[in-house]
């Protein structure tokens, strides 16, 4: 317990961040030039942080695994970014964005962090417009907004269905500007293999050059991880193929605590699974729920006939359709938060009302909106999404309702950080999806982009100075220190061991098996017996993986299979931690649903008396049980309630 | 569905490449093109069809058509036969059962092959670093609604900004010109009031870098537009040419008047 200090500043909620900034230590321009920062990852959080550090005068080294920093998976975010601008004059405010986020997260996030997030949200929009991000506008030339789940206001700014792309290209532009100025040095096609600690502080990384295969050492005064989430543990997710958890996991094994790993977001509107060759799942933006209505047939025999291909969606008359979200949650309707919408879809499908060939799908229907607004308006709003759907499913969503089903999308859990976004390792900061901080047990739509950019543009540039102010007399680190030597050797040995197994099955074969265990037992509905079973199965699978995986190729040169094996080795361990966290948390909250803990009408049943805390896990070895540390969550400013989206 | 694949294999940048033929069988028409390559790689790895086992290297990441990482030249066309589609969003139902499919990397002097179907596109990053941004620092900017922007301009800027930087335009062009890529970025900012301040400097610097990096010149064949997965219009090239000309003239004027530029 003593090791977890969240460092929440004193004062009333709306003055905490102001007070922090007024009292924090700063680094003078002359000293900034002497200090080096490593940033791993170039998504919204990493690119914005690196660019901002460069502007401030620090020496920055940035790493990404893709061929260009512009390709980080933030690019795929579709729907939008929240901010409390209240441009539509519909009652929004910083308080309301804060409150919706805390409530949406089912009261499992820190008040002070979330309030700061809401506070800086408006600066993000200003910054992005100044960078030339082409947000949607109205005919008067002002910025347009739409609604997302868990909110009754329109506070979401968007650039068609490509908001993540445009925000990331803005941050990539800022990064490029600093690369040109020489403050930032870019290392593309580099993958972090380990974190290096010197005297207990984060002082560098070991990375593999993915083109030459060379294992390289990099030193700095501080390290920022902005390496995204761990959704790919489930094999099938909406993450990119190369998104992985290895950087975060290596930091965990070096002493950074892992916060709330069980909090995984399963997004309600994804294109359903259709074959075992499938490599990933594709999200259909939550923004579609602005105009789409979700339904399944009211009668089981209709659902059966649809599944058998004897009936089509359009054959079902209006009175025989069950718009179950509107029925169960009249106040929020189709715009309930993601966890609620996902569970409701699963409930209907499990009860036998699902559609599509597998029965694991529900309809998202635009017929009413097309009638009300015309096809052109709908096309203007969601054209690219409709096109993407048609390419994948080969069906025209203007004429037939879309079929959708929940899929793993985002991880609220991540490395534990304090108010300064610093982990339990001094000098290791964690930003964006990689940290656990702001979304509690469920993230609201359009809040990931907000958090990534808040962390990178407006939080880290302040808080990292508070740390580095004490480091100005520390000379630049050399990478020939024994700590670097040892970390490099460990990384090299691990890769060599993977190659030397020369077993029978591919990395993908094991990854699919792990994914199935995770989806079946650590997915949308979890229970004690299933979680215990999963832990056993994961351990067995991990053992088998290390005995019988086949990694072709050499240490030198391009070797994708080797990197996939390295990532899967980490997933095998992380999967177990997710299951353990889920097993220990004897309550349902947000995305974590334990079937033993639900209300009579199937809603999540929280246990605030026993579980109103952040679970921060400490590594104790591959075969030892991790140690749980609790950070109690104190709600001083909001009243904790049972979430209500009904009235 | 069954296919015969003729795939370009090249050990590294220096090695000589060649085509090798592979067969894949029982492929679902709903399978994406990259998933079909996954299946082939799985066979190469687990069935050990040929030794030493060497799965095909290709770039890919989001598989949603937005990251711009995938870059295959299929039957002589960047991203394959379907218009307005990246290869990750191309599905096997677009081919005929029994087809022979030729798969190559992007071919351009400025995009050297790394291995098999992977190429090095860092030249694009270098062009952007010359000015493909607005030089604003974090903080101290006006309210987002302080400057209204006509919807038409914002929409056109968005059309240009939709570029995913995949390089299909270069691969499609017989001169391996990067004009469409550069034009899209220059246009996005030239259309917005925030971007106008640096418009001239940007156009000159980005074009100069493009030439320096070995991309060819534009001869207006419009192959780039035809193959662009995001349907970026060649009208952007016309806009770039105007911006470039304007900048050149102004630069010459300033020189005559004795002032510097930029």
């Amino acid at each position: 317990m003593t090791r977890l200090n969240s460092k929440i500043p004193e004062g009333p909620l709306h003055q905490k961040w102001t007070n922090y900034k007024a009292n924090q230590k700063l680094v003078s321009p002359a000293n900034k030039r002497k200090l080096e920062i490593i940033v791993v990852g170039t998504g919204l959080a990493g690119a914005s942080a690196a660019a901002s550090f460069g502007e401030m005068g620090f020496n920055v080294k940035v790493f990404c695994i893709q061929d260009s920093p512009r390709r980080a998976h933030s690019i795929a975010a579709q729907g939008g970014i929240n901010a409390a601008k209240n441009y539509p004059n519909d009652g929004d405010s910083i308080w309301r964005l804060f409150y919706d986020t805390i409530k949406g997260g089912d009261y499992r996030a820190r008040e002070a962090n979330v309030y700061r997030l809401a506070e800086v949200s408006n600066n993000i929009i200003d910054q992005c417009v100044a960078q030339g991000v082409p947000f949607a506008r109205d005919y008067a030339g002002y910025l347009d907004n739409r609604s997302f789940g868990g909110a009754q206001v329109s506070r979401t700014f968007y650039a068609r269905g490509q908001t993540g792309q445009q925000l990331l290209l803005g941050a990539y532009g800022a990064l490029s500007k600093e690369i040109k100025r020489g403050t930032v040095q870019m290392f593309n096609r580099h993958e972090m293999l380990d974190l290096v600690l010197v005297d207990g502080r984060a002082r560098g990384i070991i990375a593999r050059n993915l083109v030459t295969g060379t294992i390289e050492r990099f030193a700095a005064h501080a390290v920022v991880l902005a390496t995204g989430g761990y959704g790919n543990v489930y094999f099938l997710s909406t993450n990119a193929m190369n998104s992985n958890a290895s950087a975060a996991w290596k930091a965990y094994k070096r002493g950074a605590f892992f916060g709330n790993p069980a909090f995984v977001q399963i997004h309600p509107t994804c294109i359903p699974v259709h074959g075992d060759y499938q490599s990933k799942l594709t999200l259909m933006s939550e923004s579609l729920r602005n105009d789409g209505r979700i339904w399944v047939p009211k009668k089981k025999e209709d659902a059966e006939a649809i599944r058998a291909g004897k009936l089509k969606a359009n054959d079902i008359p209006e009175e025989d359709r069950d718009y179950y979200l509107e029925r169960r949650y009249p106040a929020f309707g189709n715009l309930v938060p993601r966890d609620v919408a996902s569970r409701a879809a699963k409930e209907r499908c499990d009860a036998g009302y699902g559609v599509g060939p597998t029965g694991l799908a529900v309809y998202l229907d635009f017929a009413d909106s097309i009638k009300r607004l015309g096809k052109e308006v709908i096309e203007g709003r969601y054209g690219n999404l409709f096109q993407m759907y048609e390419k994948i499913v080969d069906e025209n969503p203007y004429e037939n309702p879309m079929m959708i089903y929940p899929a793993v999308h985002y991880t609220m859990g991540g490395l534990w950080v304090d108010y300064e976004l610093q982990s339990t390792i001094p000098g290791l900061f964690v930003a964006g999806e990689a940290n656990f901080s702001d979304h509690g047990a469920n993230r609201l739509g359009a809040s990931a982009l907000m958090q990534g950019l808040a962390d990178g543009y407006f939080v880290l540039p302040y808080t990292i100075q508070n740390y580095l102010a004490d480091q100005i007399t520390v000379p630049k680190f050399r990478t020939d220190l024994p700590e670097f030597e040892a970390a490099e050797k460990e990384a090299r040995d691990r890769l060599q061991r993977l190659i030397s197994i020369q077993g029978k099955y591919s990395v993908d074969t094991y990854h699919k098996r792990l994914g199935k265990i995770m989806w079946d037992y650590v997915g949308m509905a979890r229970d004690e017996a299933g979680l215990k079973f999963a832990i056993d199965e994961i351990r067995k699978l991990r053992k088998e993986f290390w005995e019988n995986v086949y990694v072709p190729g050499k240490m030198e040169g391009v070797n994708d299979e080797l990197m996939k094996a390295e990532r899967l080795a980490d997933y095998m361990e992380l999967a177990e931690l997710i299951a353990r966290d889920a097993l220990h948390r004897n309550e349902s909250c947000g995305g974590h649903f334990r079937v033993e803990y639900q209300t009579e009408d199937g809603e999540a049943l929280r246990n605030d008396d026993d579980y109103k805390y952040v679970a921060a896990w400490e590594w104790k070895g591959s075969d030892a049980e991790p140690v749980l540390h609790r950070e109690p969550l104190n709600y001083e400013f909001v009243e904790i309630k049972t979430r209500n989206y009904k009235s | 569905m069954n296919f015969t694949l003729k795939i370009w294999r090249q050990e590294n940048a220096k090695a000589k490449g060649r085509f090798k033929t592979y067969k894949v069988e029982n492929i679902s028409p709903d399978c994406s093109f990259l998933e079909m390559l996954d299946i082939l790689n799985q066979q190469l790895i687990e069935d050990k069809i040929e030794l030493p086992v060497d799965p095909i290297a290709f770039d890919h990441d989001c598989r949603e058509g937005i990251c711009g990482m995938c870059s295959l030249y299929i039957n002589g066309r960047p991203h394959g036969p379907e218009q307005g589609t990246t290869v990750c969003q191309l599905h096997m139902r677009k081919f005929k059962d029994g087809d022979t499919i030729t798969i190559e990397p992007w071919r351009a002097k400025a995009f050297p092959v790394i291995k098999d179907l992977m190429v090095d596109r860092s030249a694009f990053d270098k062009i952007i670093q010359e000015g493909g941004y607005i030089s604003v620092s974090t903080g101290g900017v006006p309210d987002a609604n302080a400057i209204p922007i006509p919807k038409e301009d914002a929409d056109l800027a968005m059309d240009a900004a939709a570029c995913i930087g995949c390089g299909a335009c270069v691969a499609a062009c017989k001169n391996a010109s990067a004009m469409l890529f550069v034009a899209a970025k220059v246009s996005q900012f030239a259309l917005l009031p925030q971007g106008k301040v640096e418009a001239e400097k940007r156009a000159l610097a980005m074009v100069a870098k493009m030439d320096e990096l070995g991309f060819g010149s534009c001869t207006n064949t419009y192959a780039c537009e035809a193959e662009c997965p995001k349907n970026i219009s060649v009208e952007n090239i016309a806009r770039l040419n105007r911006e470039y000309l304007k900048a050149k003239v102004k630069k010459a004027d300033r020189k005559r008047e004795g002032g510097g530029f930029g």
Side-chain angles (χ1 to χ4, degrees):
Chain A
M1 289 297 270
T2 49
R3 293 188 60 185
L4 284 179
N5 177 5
S6 56
K7 294 195 212 150
I8 296 169
E10 293 298 312
L13 193 56
H14 66 279
Q15 277 172 7
K16 285 183 188 293
W17 183 227
T18 310
N19 288 349
Y20 177 88
K21 290 190 287 185
N23 295 306
Q24 72 164 112
K25 286 175 273 184
L26 297 174
V27 181
S28 76
N31 284 328
K32 284 191 186 111
R33 283 195 290 276
K34 294 187 217 156
L35 295 170
E36 297 187 302
I37 305 173
I38 282 173
V39 178
V40 187
T42 59
L44 288 177
S48 60
S52 302
F53 296 155
E55 288 163 3
M56 293 159 74
F58 291 108
N59 298 293
V60 189
K61 292 191 184 87
V62 189
F63 297 81
C64 76
I65 54 177
Q66 295 88 352
D67 73 331
S68 162
R70 65 179 291 155
R71 308 208 197 280
H73 196 52
S74 302
I75 201 131
Q78 299 167 354
I81 176 164
N82 287 330
K85 285 283 193 186
N86 192 30
Y87 286 155
N89 194 32
D90 59 357
D92 203 8
S93 62
I94 289 169
W95 173 266
R96 205 172 272 276
L97 173 54
F98 154 75
Y99 181 78
D100 286 348
T101 307
I102 284 278
K103 175 185 170 192
D106 217 356
Y107 304 94
R108 289 293 176 267
R110 246 184 236 145
E111 279 184 321
N113 281 59
V114 177
Y115 195 86
R116 176 179 64 190
L117 177 66
E119 231 178 326
V120 302
S121 68
N122 292 339
N123 301 86
I124 297 170
I125 304 303
D126 298 342
Q127 188 67 34
C128 294
V129 167
Q131 287 172 344
V133 169
F135 282 121
R137 288 175 185 271
D138 62 21
Y139 283 100
Y142 293 98
L143 293 163
D144 193 25
N145 289 116
R146 59 187 174 199
S147 302
F148 260 63
Q152 287 172 314
V153 294
S154 292
R155 62 162 72 99
T156 306
F157 294 79
Y158 65 100
R160 294 194 189 141
Q162 293 126 279
T163 316
Q165 179 199 25
Q166 293 310 315
L167 297 179
L168 184 63
L169 293 182
Y172 163 72
L175 185 66
S176 299
K177 163 176 68 75
E178 291 307 305
I179 294 171
K180 174 74 180 169
R181 279 183 66 217
T183 60
V184 174
Q185 217 186 335
M186 181 72 225
F187 297 87
N188 63 351
R189 293 198 196 261
H190 272 69
E191 186 150 345
M192 175 172 153
L193 297 178
D194 209 347
L195 178 75
V196 182
L197 271 62
V198 179
D199 297 331
R201 292 174 187 261
R203 292 302 195 191
I205 64 166
I206 305 296
R208 182 170 183 269
N209 179 323
L210 299 178
V211 175
T212 62
T214 321
I215 295 176
E216 300 164 12
R217 309 171 186 182
F218 301 92
H221 292 87
V223 176
V224 175
L225 295 189
T227 47
Y230 49 88
N232 271 346
V233 163
Y234 290 76
F235 186 73
L236 285 181
S237 83
T238 65
N239 285 4
M241 300 301 288
N242 293 302
S243 301
N244 71 80
S246 285
W249 194 248
K250 297 299 170 16
Y252 169 67
K253 291 171 84 164
R254 293 280 176 201
F257 291 1
F258 210 105
N260 296 334
F263 291 171
V264 173
Q265 175 161 83
I266 300 191
H267 194 295
T269 56
C270 301
I271 298 178
V273 179
H274 51 76
D276 59 3
Y277 51 82
Q278 211 164 346
S279 57
K280 71 156 280 159
L281 296 173
T282 304
L283 175 76
M284 287 285 107
S285 167
E286 177 163 320
S287 60
L288 293 167
R289 287 196 269 145
N290 273 277
D291 290 304
R293 297 178 71 195
I294 293 177
W295 64 275
V296 291
K298 252 183 206 164
K299 296 181 191 158
K300 250 187 208 169
E301 56 267 31
D302 284 349
E304 280 159 13
I306 288 173
R307 290 201 289 272
K310 289 177 200 151
L311 278 181
K312 281 193 151 48
N314 293 335
D315 299 331
I316 309 294
E318 191 60 30
E319 63 272 19
D320 289 338
R321 299 176 177 195
D322 177 16
Y323 296 92
Y324 57 86
L325 289 178
E326 297 170 30
R327 168 171 61 78
R328 288 178 65 176
Y329 309 100
F332 281 69
N334 291 295
L335 282 172
V336 290
R338 292 174 176 176
D339 56 332
V340 177
S342 288
R343 269 199 297 282
K346 179 175 159 50
E347 187 277 328
R348 282 293 81 189
C349 292
D350 289 351
Y353 296 92
V355 297
T358 58
L360 291 176
V362 300
Y363 289 126
L364 177 61
D365 198 335
F366 295 88
D368 281 355
S369 295
I370 291 173
K371 217 182 289 168
R372 182 163 46 93
L373 303 162
K375 191 184 158 197
E376 250 169 50
V377 173
I378 295 298
E379 199 173 347
R381 284 181 191 168
Y382 315 110
N384 64 321
L385 299 171
F386 276 49
Q387 195 191 17
M388 183 152 65
Y389 181 87
E390 188 166 358
K391 270 179 198 158
I392 295 171
V393 183
D394 204 21
E395 211 174 61
N396 181 347
Y398 293 98
E399 286 162 16
N400 301 294
M402 285 184 181
M403 279 187 291
I404 50 153
Y405 197 68
V408 173
H409 178 57
Y410 184 90
T411 52
M412 284 72 69
L415 292 175
W416 184 91
V417 288
D418 60 22
Y419 187 75
E420 297 184 302
L421 306 185
Q422 188 165 210
S423 71
T424 47
I425 298 175
L428 178 69
F429 293 79
V430 190
E433 189 180 351
N435 74 30
F436 89 101
S437 69
D438 295 347
H439 306 293
N442 172 59
R443 179 175 65 75
L444 291 184
S447 284
L449 304 185
M450 171 172 70
Q451 188 222 334
L453 290 181
D455 288 359
Y457 284 135
F458 298 112
V459 179
L460 279 176
Y462 291 87
T463 61
I464 206 164
Q465 289 192 72
N466 201 38
Y467 174 77
L468 289 173
D470 294 336
Q471 304 289 311
I472 51 174
T473 56
V474 179
K476 284 189 182 176
F477 280 86
R478 293 169 53 120
T479 54
D480 55 5
L481 294 172
E483 288 85 350
F484 280 90
E485 182 86 44
E488 185 192 312
K489 184 175 182 306
E490 231 177 278
R492 187 183 301 281
D493 289 351
R494 191 172 54 243
L495 295 181
Q496 240 144 15
R497 195 180 147 205
L498 285 165
I499 290 180
S500 67
I501 297 167
Q502 295 288 307
K504 189 163 161 33
Y505 297 108
S506 73
V507 177
D508 279 358
T509 296
Y510 285 108
H511 199 170
K512 283 181 187 183
R513 285 173 63 188
L514 177 67
K516 187 159 167 34
I517 298 170
M518 292 301 286
W519 180 248
D520 288 347
Y521 300 99
V522 200
M524 265 193 288
R526 305 159 170 182
D527 64 36
E528 188 185 335
L531 289 166
K532 285 182 171 160
F533 176 76
I535 291 170
D536 276 352
E537 289 296 299
I538 294 164
R539 290 198 149 207
K540 275 190 242 160
L541 188 66
R542 191 175 80 199
K543 188 162 174 287
E544 199 192 317
F545 166 82
W546 279 103
E547 285 164 358
N548 210 12
V549 72
Y550 176 54
V551 180
K554 297 176 295 212
M555 292 284 282
E556 299 78 35
V558 173
N559 191 342
D560 277 354
E561 288 299 313
L562 177 59
M563 296 323 292
K564 279 160 67 179
E566 158 86 355
R567 298 167 190 171
L568 183 57
D570 293 334
Y571 286 145
M572 291 280 183
E573 294 173 351
L574 171 56
E576 187 181 325
L577 187 69
I578 298 172
R580 275 186 189 285
D581 187 41
L583 178 64
H584 112 280
R585 193 171 277 278
N586 289 310
E587 64 165 350
S588 294
C589 59
H592 168 65
F593 191 73
R594 284 280 299 270
V595 294
E596 305 98 315
Y597 308 103
Q598 55 181 311
T599 63
E600 266 177 25
D601 47 357
E603 304 296 340
L605 189 62
R606 271 194 344 251
N607 176 351
D608 292 330
D609 293 339
D610 297 323
Y611 293 97
K612 193 165 53 78
Y613 61 75
V614 176
W617 296 90
E618 182 186 7
W619 171 258
K620 287 289 177 189
S622 285
D623 295 310
E625 294 206 1
V627 171
L628 173 67
H629 300 259
R630 297 178 179 85
E631 180 203 338
L633 291 165
N634 301 315
Y635 290 91
E636 294 177 63
F637 304 94
V638 299
E639 189 197 339
I640 303 192
K641 291 185 199 159
T642 298
R643 281 193 306 175
N644 174 8
Y645 293 101
K646 293 175 191 289
S647 55
Chain B
M1 300 173 85
N2 301 330
F3 301 101
T4 303
L5 308 173
K6 290 174 71 180
I7 301 177
W8 184 260
R9 303 302 311 263
Q10 184 173 336
E11 182 56 30
N12 54 48
K14 289 184 190 117
K16 233 180 125 206
R18 71 207 147 94
F19 281 104
K20 279 188 87 169
T21 305
Y22 301 89
K23 299 234 183 246
V24 285
E25 287 165 358
N26 296 320
I27 301 291
S28 158
D30 292 330
C31 188
S32 77
F33 198 88
L34 297 185
E35 284 165 352
M36 187 267 299
L37 289 182
D38 291 342
I39 292 170
L40 173 61
N41 272 343
Q42 173 78 356
Q43 285 169 13
L44 291 175
I45 294 165
E46 289 197 349
D47 303 346
K48 303 184 176 60
I49 303 166
E50 50 174 38
L51 298 170
V53 173
D54 184 19
I56 293 141
F58 60 96
D59 269 326
H60 63 104
D61 201 15
C62 78
R63 298 204 177 187
E64 298 181 18
I66 194 75
C67 76
M69 190 99 176
C70 60
S71 48
L72 302 182
Y73 200 73
I74 300 166
N75 291 341
R77 294 185 66 181
H79 293 299
E82 197 181 3
Q83 192 93 29
T85 305
T86 55
V87 66
C88 64
Q89 295 285 81
L90 174 68
H91 288 76
M92 297 318 292
R93 65 177 90 94
K94 299 288 171 185
F95 295 86
K96 283 202 285 293
D97 189 22
D99 272 358
T100 296
I101 305 171
T102 307
I103 312 169
E104 297 170 76
W106 283 175
R107 307 265 190 205
K109 194 174 124 202
F111 291 160
V113 171
I114 293 173
K115 182 176 195 252
D116 298 341
L117 305 169
M118 287 168 89
V119 298
D120 180 356
R121 285 168 289 189
S122 34
F124 268 11
D125 287 332
K126 294 196 181 98
I127 294 175
I128 294 292
Q129 284 156 19
E130 289 304 303
Y133 43 77
I134 292 168
S135 303
V136 57
S137 290
T138 307
V141 298
D143 183 85
N145 257 349
I147 309 171
I149 300 173
K151 188 177 188 311
E152 296 74 20
D153 292 349
D155 285 348
L156 279 175
M158 179 63 217
D159 290 342
C163 169
I164 57 173
C166 65
C169 46
V170 176
C173 176
K174 63 183 167 69
N175 308 322
S177 168
M179 273 296 265
L180 192 63
F181 171 76
V182 173
K185 209 24 94 185
V186 166
S187 283
Q188 176 195 344
F189 294 130
L191 284 157
L192 300 171
Q194 292 87 351
K196 286 210 163 77
V197 181
E198 299 169 284
E200 292 156 20
K201 191 177 156 192
R202 177 180 304 118
L204 292 176
M206 288 178 75
V207 169
K209 195 66 180 181
M210 169 178 76
D211 292 343
E212 181 198 316
L213 291 170
F215 291 100
S217 51
C218 172
T219 49
N220 295 310
T221 63
Y222 300 162
C224 51
E225 182 189 73
E227 299 295 4
C228 174
K230 296 294 152 184
N231 299 315
I232 306 288
S233 162
V234 290
E235 282 171 28
N236 291 300
I237 295 182
R239 192 176 294 107
L240 166 61
N241 285 333
R242 285 199 299 277
E243 290 293 323
Y244 185 77
L245 208 65
K246 219 162 54 184
K248 274 275 190 201
V249 171
K250 272 204 186 165
K251 191 176 174 180
D253 283 355
R254 278 185 211 172
K255 232 179 194 167
R256 256 201 315 277
E257 287 157 15
F261 180 84

